[in-house]
């Protein structure tokens, strides 16, 4: 890693323009000077939800995208990983790249085994394309139901994709809003792979942690041992705000304590679509002991669970 890229260093600042692309004017770029976390993660800790964006001049953003981001290169991601004391990344294909996984694959190949990926694929993906993604380090596909991010894909198409990737040992990462879960419950429960739900299914944290909405999500995990959750993105869910995001803590902590072997954590760097507040990535790491209050829980959350899911082969 070039030290010039270190967070806060001269090469760190986000570029809002690249080739033919300009970051949306109502967007915030990633944090210009993340703080060094007080919490020191255990050896082998994984950031299991983060993205690379472009650079757009090299890896163009998809024509069908709903937003144009700032560039966020693989080298910046590695610099953040090292700065935060993490060792590995799981890079999730973001909707601004559609089903063109070239930026993701480029990052995985350059990672020297320190990154795995979650791709987005179209209905017509061939077996050899899936095999090439697998060789690069892809271990899952992402289904996105968040309407501001994507146009709808028919469920039959998604079911077919899940059937195609299951023999590779891949899982499905699924992103939805809590209000959608009643309609999605049976679809999710019937998928034939391990399922990872992004950001706890985006609960409304103004509601009770033991209320009907979050209970449905807990029931999904309780009744379906193949369902995991990311306990990431307090900054997206919180109404009380930074730096503690204290209103999100009871939701994440409940999942970590109830399902300690099926939770993952990630920064979500470079934090797409944030318009009011950009989190300090160091503070996001300091949030981990709030939601995983013992060393044993943190070892599972940051090391054992993501390693088992992504890095055992
Ligand atoms: C996230 C959240 C968001 C965006 C995407 O792929 C994406 O564009 O996932 C969001 O806007 O909530 O996990 O990065």
């Amino acid at each position: 890693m070039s030290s010039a890229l270190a967070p806060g260093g001269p090469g760190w600042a986000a570029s809002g323009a690249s080739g033919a692309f300009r970051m949306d004017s109502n967007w915030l770029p990633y944090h210009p000077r993340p703080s060094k976390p007080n919490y020191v993660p255990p050896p082998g800790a994984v950031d299991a939800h983060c993205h690379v964006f472009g650079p757009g001049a090299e890896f163009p953003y998809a024509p069908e995208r709903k937003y144009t981001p700032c560039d966020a290169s693989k080298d910046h991601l590695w610099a953040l990983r090292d700065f935060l004391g993490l060792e590995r990344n799981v890079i999730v294909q973001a909707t601004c790249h559609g089903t063109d996984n070239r930026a993701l694959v480029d990052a995985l190949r350059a990672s020297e085994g320190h990154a795995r990926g979650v791709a987005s694929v179209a209905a017509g993906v061939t077996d050899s394309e899936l095999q090439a993604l697998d060789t690069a380090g892809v271990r899952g596909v992402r289904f996105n139901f968040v309407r501001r991010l994507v146009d709808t894909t028919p469920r039959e198409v998604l079911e077919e994709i899940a059937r195609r990737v299951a023999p590779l040992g891949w899982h499905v990462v699924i992103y939805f809003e809590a209000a959608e879960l009643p309609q999605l419950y049976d679809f999710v429960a019937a998928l034939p792979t391990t399922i990872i739900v992004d950001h706890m299914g985006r609960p409304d944290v103004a509601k009770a942690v033991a209320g009907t909405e979050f209970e449905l999500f807990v029931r999904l995990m309780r009744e379906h041992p193949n369902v995991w959750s990311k306990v990431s993105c307090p900054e997206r869910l919180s109404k009380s705000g930074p730096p503690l995001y204290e209103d999100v803590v009871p939701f994440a902590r409940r999942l970590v304590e109830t399902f300690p072997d099926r939770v993952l954590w990630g920064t979500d760097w470079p934090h797409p679509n944030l318009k009011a507040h950009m989190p300090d990535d160091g503070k996001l790491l300091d949030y981990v002991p709030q939601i995983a209050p013992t060393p044993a829980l943190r070892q599972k959350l940051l090391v054992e669970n993501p390693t088992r899911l992504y890095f055992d082969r």
Side-chain angles (χ1 to χ4, degrees), residues 27 49-51 53 67 92-97 120 142 144 146 148-150 175 177 198-199 202 230 232-233 236 268-269 271-275:
W27 248 56
H49 186 93
C50 51
H51 309 285
F53 294 155
Y67 62 82
V92 177
Q93 173 79 351
T95 57
C96 56
H97 278 296
S120 287
R142 193 180 194 204
N144 203 319
V146 178
R148 67 186 158 78
L149 292 173
V150 283
Y175 192 24
E177 310 266 2
D198 277 337
H199 320 330
R202 290 195 64 113
K230 288 181 198 160
S232 42
C233 281
R236 290 189 188 281
D268 193 35
W269 188 87
H271 311 286
N273 290 310
L274 293 186
K275 298 174 176 97

Side-chain angles (χ1 to χ4, degrees), residues 119-193:
S120 287
V121 300
V125 66
T126 65
D127 285 340
S128 64
E129 285 166 339
L130 290 176
Q131 194 53 60
L133 289 170
D134 187 85
T135 302
V138 169
R139 297 291 179 265
V141 283
R142 193 180 194 204
F143 296 168
N144 203 319
F145 289 90
V146 178
R147 289 172 208 197
R148 67 186 158 78
L149 292 173
V150 283
D151 297 325
T152 309
T153 305
R155 289 189 191 182
E156 311 79 73
V157 171
L158 299 175
E159 283 159 354
E160 174 61 14
I161 290 171
R163 267 195 299 280
R164 297 271 311 285
V165 304
L168 292 164
W170 289 13
H171 56 263
V172 170
V173 172
I174 189 161
Y175 192 24
F176 56 79
E177 310 266 2
E180 306 282 333
L181 183 55
Q183 295 87 44
L184 283 173
Y185 194 97
D186 292 341
F187 166 81
V188 176
L191 288 170
T193 62

Side-chain angles (χ1 to χ4, degrees), residues 74 78 102 104-113 115 132-133 135-137:
K74 60 182 184 293
W78 312 151
R102 281 177 295 171
L104 168 67
V105 166
D106 171 71
L108 297 180
R109 288 193 180 134
S111 75
E112 299 177 339
L133 289 170
T135 302

